[in-house]
Amino acid sequence: MSLERAVLAGGCFWGMQDLIRKLPGVSKTRVGYTGGDVPNATYRNHGTHAEGIEIWFDPDKITYRRLLEFFFQIHDPTTVNRQGNDLGMSYRSAIYFVDEAQKQVAEDTIADVNASGLWPGRVVTEVEPVGDFWEAEPEHQDYLERIPNGYTCHFPRPDWVLPKRDAAE
């Protein structure tokens, strides 16, 4: 089995990790800080980094496209620097692609989300090349597994699901 890597940011990393880790084909996840300007970022000092999630997945069981579709279903990609009550650059929506193929899938998925008219506005998700990923402190890893009633602003929105694509696509 050859795993692929995805790096996403969509608000508080706890809720994203809790939902994405349960997808069939996702092998492991970790939360951290990415897309910013501070080396060795921490919770107390992460500069312009976003709270992100690193995902390792089996592309034979789940496609990158499917990961992105779920990502767009569990957070609001139409709000700038915000998810729920969380405000600021740390909570922006971003896709950090690892290669040109991921970049193309990200751009195509965003175009499909915008064309669908199902979301409350136009997608503001950044699409940038992946950079350093600074792992968050142990107390942030697997947070909602340890504290099941802890804070989250992420949930699947059943009305934010793209129509099924033709298998040949």
Side-chain angles (χ1 to χ4, degrees):
M1 167 177 54
S2 178
L3 297 179
E4 291 185 17
R5 179 180 183 229
V7 178
L8 306 173
C12 178
F13 43 33
W14 298 335
M16 288 190 42
Q17 182 182 40
D18 190 56
L19 294 170
I20 290 172
R21 73 158 25 106
K22 296 172 184 169
L23 294 174
V26 171
S27 293
K28 62 183 176 176
T29 61
R30 67 181 181 147
V31 297
Y33 314 99
T34 192
D37 61 352
V38 174
N40 302 305
T42 65
Y43 186 74
R44 298 219 184 280
N45 182 25
H46 57 268
T48 61
H49 285 292
E51 288 193 8
I53 178 172
E54 181 180 58
I55 305 154
W56 291 94
F57 66 99
D58 180 348
D60 291 331
K61 295 182 179 173
I62 187 168
T63 64
Y64 185 64
R65 166 75 184 214
R66 178 66 191 112
L67 275 176
L68 294 185
E69 288 176 355
F70 189 69
F71 168 69
F72 284 120
Q73 186 187 7
I74 64 172
H75 86 292
D76 186 345
T78 69
T79 55
V80 176
N81 297 334
R82 180 179 191 158
Q83 285 303 305
N85 294 325
D86 298 327
L87 298 171
M89 285 188 71
S90 299
Y91 306 110
R92 68 185 178 272
S93 177
I95 298 169
Y96 299 101
F97 59 88
V98 301
D99 58 26
E100 288 300 311
Q102 281 192 356
K103 179 182 180 184
Q104 188 62 57
V105 171
E107 290 172 347
D108 292 347
T109 306
I110 289 170
D112 290 346
V113 167
N114 281 329
S116 76
L118 297 172
W119 280 254
R122 303 284 297 167
V123 171
V124 297
T125 303
E126 298 172 5
V127 178
E128 300 290 336
V130 71
D132 292 327
F133 186 91
W134 306 102
E135 184 172 6
E137 297 78 2
E139 63 268 22
H140 296 293
Q141 304 299 328
D142 308 314
Y143 179 81
L144 289 172
E145 280 192 347
R146 292 181 293 105
I147 304 170
N149 295 317
Y151 173 77
T152 185
C153 61
H154 294 89
F155 57 93
R157 292 158 173 90
D159 53 337
W160 291 7
V161 178
L162 287 171
K164 295 288 181 216
R165 296 177 70 182
D166 190 4
E169 290 184 56

